């Protein structure tokens, strides 16, 4: 049976960047690499809030992007 091995995790912060001339919502994002593989969702949310407090733009969302290897 195959299994997956988590090899990398990234944290992406998405910020509200206003609206364009047609009223369409704009977003800006910043991705942080080398996130601890065993980070909990609460830890990631706390880190995102701390980082966002340094920005002038409002935090819209937080994403965790994991990469895994599939082993036979």
């Amino acid at each position: 049976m195959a299994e997956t091995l988590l090899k990398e995790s990234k944290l992406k912060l998405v910020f509200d960047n206003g609206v364009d001339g047609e009223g369409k919502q704009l977003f800006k994002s910043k991705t942080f690499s080398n996130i601890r593989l065993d980070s909990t969702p609460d830890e990631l949310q706390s880190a995102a809030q701390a980082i966002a407090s340094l920005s002038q733009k409002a935090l819209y969302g937080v994403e965790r992007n994991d990469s895994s290897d599939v082993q036979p």
Side-chain angles (χ1 to χ4, degrees):
M1 174 178 268
E3 61 182 71
T4 60
L5 298 173
L6 187 59
K7 68 176 187 175
E8 182 181 33
S9 189
K10 295 181 181 183
L11 181 65
K12 181 178 180 180
L13 278 59
V14 181
F15 295 95
D16 181 350
N17 200 31
V19 293
D20 65 7
E22 299 174 359
K24 183 179 174 187
Q25 184 71 42
L26 299 174
F27 300 102
K28 195 170 206 171
S29 64
K30 177 69 178 170
T31 302
F32 298 90
S33 300
N34 299 321
I35 302 300
R36 273 191 2 243
L37 299 179
D38 62 346
S39 297
T40 66
D42 287 334
E43 290 172 332
L44 295 176
Q45 184 66 31
S46 293
Q49 292 294 332
I51 295 168
S53 71
L54 302 173
S55 174
Q56 294 177 342
K57 300 189 182 309
L59 183 63
Y60 181 82
V62 179
E63 299 176 14
R64 178 180 183 157
N65 298 312
D66 294 331
S67 295
S68 300
D69 283 333
V70 178
Q71 302 290 321

